[in-house]
Amino acid sequence: MTLPCTKCDLRGKAVFRPLTDRELADVAHLKGSEVSLPAKCDIVPSERIGDAPCTLKAGWAFSYRSLPNGTRQILDFLLPGDTMGLQKALTGGTQHRVHSLTPVTVCVLNGMPLPAFLDGHPEMCSALNRKLLLEQRRADERLTALGRLTAPQRIGYLMLDIFDRLRRLGLGDGAWVHFPLQRQHIADALGLSGTHVNRSLIELRERELVSLGNNVLFIHDREALEGFCCYVPLEIRDCVLLL
């Protein structure tokens, strides 16, 4: 059963800019369908979705690129509210795919072309630009961490980044969050081997900074972990939720 946009739980999250009644009605006309997909399959593109822009409503996913040597680079982990297929819709092309890490529900845009819609909604366009600029800043920080931090620092940085994103969505309880990433996901996101990931997780646990098990991430000492990883939290708010 497809839930109307007006009743979507994501719209009440503080991180997203509230829509006016007109904006919400127009967004509802953009929505074509809700599609549920299992874990471990491509979301965009896929036979059921194609390459249409869509929003991750529930579950976890990741964007990635495959290299000619058979390896995979995970570009980012996607959480509820994140948009997929936006690059294709706005620029006409993309070089990455999106894969489901857990079972997911996706809201698919099947209305007018996105650029035409944004031309008629300048405030939503500004909010989308803000979101894209903040994502670029996150990407810059991740690239810095990838190039200049040690393996344990990189993993700690990734954990804090995802932890904060989940807490902004209200997904977590105090010092712990659901964390379904496996060691191979961490390795593919941070350019590490499985051995490096295992050793680094042991070091983080022995430092009494974090522990990871049974798909749960527990941060024992937030302040110490931030200092260890050179992590500075980003203020992210008023972003647009398209669908």
Side-chain angles (χ1 to χ4, degrees):
M1 180 178 178
T2 299
L3 188 70
C5 292
T6 54
K7 296 183 178 180
C8 178
D9 292 339
L10 285 173
R11 298 202 176 279
K13 306 298 183 182
V15 69
F16 298 119
R17 169 186 170 273
L19 300 185
T20 65
D21 290 342
R22 173 179 174 266
E23 288 172 340
L24 186 55
D26 290 345
V27 164
H29 284 299
L30 282 180
K31 182 175 176 177
S33 61
E34 284 186 16
V35 177
S36 294
L37 296 169
K40 301 181 180 180
C41 70
D42 276 346
I43 303 173
V44 179
S46 73
E47 292 182 0
R48 297 183 62 185
I49 297 174
D51 56 7
C54 51
T55 295
L56 186 62
K57 182 178 180 181
W60 290 50
F62 58 87
S63 56
Y64 74 98
R65 291 185 64 181
S66 296
L67 302 179
N69 63 2
T71 60
R72 176 182 69 181
Q73 176 65 47
I74 291 179
L75 305 175
D76 199 7
F77 294 99
L78 307 180
L79 303 176
D82 286 336
T83 305
M84 299 167 285
L86 193 60
Q87 189 178 103
K88 173 75 172 180
L90 296 179
T91 68
T94 185
Q95 294 181 310
H96 68 261
R97 293 175 175 265
V98 179
H99 197 77
S100 59
L101 196 153
T102 68
V104 298
T105 301
V106 175
C107 294
V108 185
L109 184 155
N110 284 331
M112 72 172 70
L114 189 57
F117 175 83
L118 293 174
D119 284 344
H121 297 80
E123 291 187 1
M124 287 188 69
C125 186
S126 295
L128 180 59
N129 286 336
R130 172 183 171 80
K131 175 180 173 64
L132 294 176
L133 289 172
L134 287 169
E135 289 301 321
Q136 181 60 57
R137 182 177 173 187
R138 279 189 60 242
D140 291 345
E141 296 292 342
R142 290 198 309 275
L143 182 59
T144 302
L146 188 64
R148 293 300 177 186
L149 298 183
T150 65
Q153 288 175 312
R154 293 184 209 177
I155 293 176
Y157 190 100
L158 175 68
M159 289 175 167
L160 283 169
D161 177 60
I162 293 177
F163 183 91
D164 284 351
R165 293 171 64 199
L166 289 168
R167 293 302 304 275
R168 285 191 287 268
L169 291 168
L171 303 175
D173 185 8
W176 69 268
V177 294
H178 178 58
F179 197 82
L181 273 64
Q182 303 302 308
R183 283 160 173 72
Q184 191 59 53
H185 297 124
I186 297 173
D188 289 350
L190 299 177
L192 301 172
S193 67
T195 300
H196 271 102
V197 171
N198 288 331
R199 289 175 178 171
S200 298
L201 290 174
I202 291 171
E203 179 176 337
L204 290 170
R205 185 173 66 248
E206 289 179 344
R207 286 175 176 266
E208 299 184 343
L209 298 175
V210 303
S211 57
L212 180 63
N214 297 321
N215 291 336
V216 172
L217 169 65
F218 192 94
I219 295 182
H220 299 285
D221 190 333
R222 167 78 190 225
E223 184 177 357
L225 183 60
E226 286 186 1
F228 176 70
C229 302
C230 305
Y231 178 84
V232 178
L234 297 180
E235 181 183 0
I236 298 181
R237 55 182 175 80
D238 296 333
C239 294
V240 67
L241 180 65
L242 280 178
L243 297 176

